[in-house]
């Protein structure tokens, strides 16, 4: 009973002081106070994009930092949560991959990002977070980038406070911030358990998506022990190109990855796997790449959709985004094969909050240093 009361204060009312736990006796509060804190990560900077996207740079107790992004849309508000400071991997098109320092975030630090966003959005105290059906509740674009819906322009068309019956705007979570969530499996699982618990933050697993670059050995456990929607950063359909741009491919190849997707517990036509595909000019964006993607999805009989992501540039990046004509041609080929392939609208680029632009230490690094770090990281994990 005490446990329930404490959870109620912390996760449902957003209390940040143990002294505020009014229905718990003073002695017990003092005992709790002597052993625990109800904390939040420190906000180092908070930025708002012209499109309404918000980004927070957060600092944890040991001084390490990570970013977290809120993306409001016509029908949902999506929080993009980080799982690590930096990333052990080094996908060539991703800014996070260039970071030197890496550590796993703890469950408290992961849940803390959600709590902080609720603070910032003014969403406490509001009882339980049971969510009404929204127009396209569990389908396309769990990533929150509703490519069909209008953007939220602050001050013009506020979707405001009516995403949920309790007036909550934070409706969806994507584990798509900094880091590779399946390389921090236990902490991500434990954090999401609190996020999904009816007496915790109470978000449905259908509103949570975990994205992996392809850590094949952890995918089955992700399905059974976490059970959220799966997104896979595929980005290329040949060994040659995927080895180059998503180097974990050298360890777990495309065929192995797609077999793991086919076996992902809980994937079916109502809950499809999302394949993320960053559109890089003259690298992975030919018609034959699109056709090969369709062939692979069919070969493995995957309940899948494809999310095409225009490449978001960052200082020192070596790629360009495909032309809009190329992207729409690529999308058409996949659509014509009966597979949904929306183009993800870039959000928050002006504040470096879009996919692949997150990084928490502002060092200036040369191309040579970037290449050196990539080689060093690869050596550390490729057998
Ligand atoms: N590490 C996980 C979670 C990060 S999700 C993963 O890689 O899946 C972030 C998504 O944005 C991934 O699909 C990633 O490949 C993609 N991404 C990275 N850099 C990008 C960039 N510069 N432009 C567009 N998308 C990018
Ligand atoms: Fe890490 Fe994902 Fe970036 Fe690759 S794309 S470096 S796995 S965060």
């Amino acid at each position: 009973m005490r446990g329930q009361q404490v959870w109620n204060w912390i996760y449902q009312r957003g209390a940040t002081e143990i002294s505020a736990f009014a229905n718990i006796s003073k002695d017990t509060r003092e005992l709790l106070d002597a052993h625990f804190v109800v904390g939040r990560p420190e906000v180092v900077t908070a930025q708002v994009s012209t499109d309404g996207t918000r980004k927070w740079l957060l600092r944890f107790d040991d001084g390490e930092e990570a970013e977290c992004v809120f993306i409001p849309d016509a029908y949902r508000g999506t929080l993009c949560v980080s799982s690590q400071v930096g990333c052990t991997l080094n996908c060539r098109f991703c800014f996070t991959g260039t970071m030197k320092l890496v550590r796993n975030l703890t469950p408290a630090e992961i849940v803390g990002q959600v709590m902080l966003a609720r603070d910032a959005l003014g969403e406490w105290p509001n009882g339980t977070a049971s969510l009404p059906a929204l127009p396209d509740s569990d389908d396309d674009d769990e990533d929150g980038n509703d490519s069909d819906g209008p953007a939220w322009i602050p001050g013009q068309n506020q979707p405001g406070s009516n995403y949920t019956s309790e007036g909550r705007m934070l409706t969806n979570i994507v584990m798509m911030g900094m880091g590779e969530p399946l390389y921090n499996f236990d902490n991500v699982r434990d954090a999401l358990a609190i996020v999904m618990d009816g007496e915790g933050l109470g978000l449905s697993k259908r509103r949570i998506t975990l994205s992996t670059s392809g850590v094949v050995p952890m995918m089955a456990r992700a399905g059974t022990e976490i059970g959220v929607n799966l997104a896979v950063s595929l980005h290329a359909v040949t060994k040659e190109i995927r080895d180059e741009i998503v180097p974990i491919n050298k360890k777990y190849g495309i065929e192995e990855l797609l077999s793991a997707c086919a076996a992902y517990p809980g994937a079916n036509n109502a809950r499809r796997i999302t394949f993320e595909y960053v559109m890089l000019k003259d690298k992975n964006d030919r018609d034959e790449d699109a056709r090969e993607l369709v062939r692979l999805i069919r070969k493995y009989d995957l309940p899948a959709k494809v999310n095409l992501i225009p490449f978001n540039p960052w200082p020192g990046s070596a790629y360009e985004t495909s032309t809009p004509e190329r992207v729409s041609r690529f999308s058409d080929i996949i659509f014509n094969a009966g597979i949904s392939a929306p183009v993800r609208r870039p959000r928050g680029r002006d504040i470096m909050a879009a996919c692949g632009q997150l990084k928490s230490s502002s060092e200036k690094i040369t191309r040579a240093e970037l290449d050196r770090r990539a080689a060093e990281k690869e050596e550390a994990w490729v057998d």
Side-chain angles (χ1 to χ4, degrees), residues 318-337:
Y319 299 105
E320 276 179 70
T321 190
S322 310
T323 61
E325 296 72 34
R326 192 87 291 276
V327 177
S328 66
R329 167 90 186 132
F330 199 94
S331 168
D332 286 348
I333 292 174
I334 302 169
F335 260 121
N336 291 339

Side-chain angles (χ1 to χ4, degrees), residues 83-355:
S83 56
Q84 299 182 308
V85 171
C87 185
T88 29
L89 299 172
N90 53 291
C91 304
R92 288 296 191 279
F93 45 80
C94 174
F95 204 19
T96 307
T98 69
M99 282 178 65
K100 209 172 178 181
L101 278 171
V102 178
R103 83 158 165 84
N104 284 335
L105 295 178
T106 64
E109 290 165 341
I110 296 168
V111 176
Q113 296 171 58
V114 185
M115 312 279 279
L116 188 278
R118 281 216 167 145
D119 289 349
L121 296 167
E123 303 201 325
W124 313 106
N126 265 327
T128 58
S130 59
L131 302 172
L134 294 174
D136 51 355
S137 51
D138 127 76
D139 214 14
D140 292 338
D141 300 329
E142 287 91 352
D143 53 41
N145 289 281
D146 180 358
S147 41
D148 307 321
W152 174 41
I153 311 294
Q156 289 181 28
N157 58 340
Q158 306 269 354
S161 52
N162 49 16
Y163 280 165
T164 74
S165 56
E166 292 87 16
R168 283 197 171 138
M169 290 176 61
L170 199 173
T171 61
N172 292 50
I173 288 181
V174 292
M175 295 303 300
M176 295 190 184
M178 295 166 58
E180 169 48 59
L182 296 189
Y183 273 157
N184 185 15
F185 183 85
D186 290 1
N187 291 351
V188 167
R189 176 199 54 205
D190 294 352
L192 290 180
I194 293 174
V195 170
M196 292 188 280
D197 195 303
E199 291 182 15
L201 293 170
L203 242 85
S204 150
K205 66 179 183 181
R206 296 186 168 275
R207 292 182 174 276
I208 303 176
T209 301
L210 181 149
S211 175
T212 180
S213 58
V215 184
V216 169
M218 299 311 289
M219 284 170 59
R221 282 186 66 196
T224 48
E225 294 178 39
I226 307 178
V228 297
N229 302 312
L230 181 69
V232 172
S233 294
L234 190 63
H235 303 316
V237 290
T238 64
K239 174 164 170 51
E240 190 200 344
I241 305 291
R242 195 162 192 269
D243 276 358
E244 179 193 333
I245 64 178
V246 187
I248 195 179
N249 196 62
K250 293 179 195 164
K251 204 165 181 180
Y252 312 113
I254 294 176
E255 305 269 334
E256 225 181 313
L257 175 59
L258 297 180
S259 303
C261 290
Y264 185 74
N268 55 47
N269 275 326
R271 289 186 78 202
R272 290 171 292 165
I273 293 174
T274 304
F275 288 106
E276 295 159 287
Y277 199 99
V278 63
M279 297 298 295
L280 304 173
K281 188 174 183 184
D282 299 331
K283 185 50 82 180
N284 63 357
D285 64 352
R286 298 164 308 172
D287 286 1
E288 58 193 275
D289 295 315
R291 286 194 286 266
E292 176 63 4
L293 182 53
V294 169
R295 189 190 70 82
L296 287 170
I297 289 173
R298 285 187 177 152
K299 176 177 171 193
Y300 287 89
D301 198 20
L302 295 170
K305 63 189 158 187
V306 177
N307 231 299
L308 300 175
I309 319 176
F311 169 67
N312 295 306
W314 39 270
S317 59
Y319 299 105
E320 276 179 70
T321 190
S322 310
T323 61
E325 296 72 34
R326 192 87 291 276
V327 177
S328 66
R329 167 90 186 132
F330 199 94
S331 168
D332 286 348
I333 292 174
I334 302 169
F335 260 121
N336 291 339
I339 301 164
S340 155
V343 180
R344 192 182 285 182
R345 183 159 39 86
R347 297 290 305 268
R349 270 186 178 173
D350 55 337
I351 56 167
M352 288 287 287
C355 305

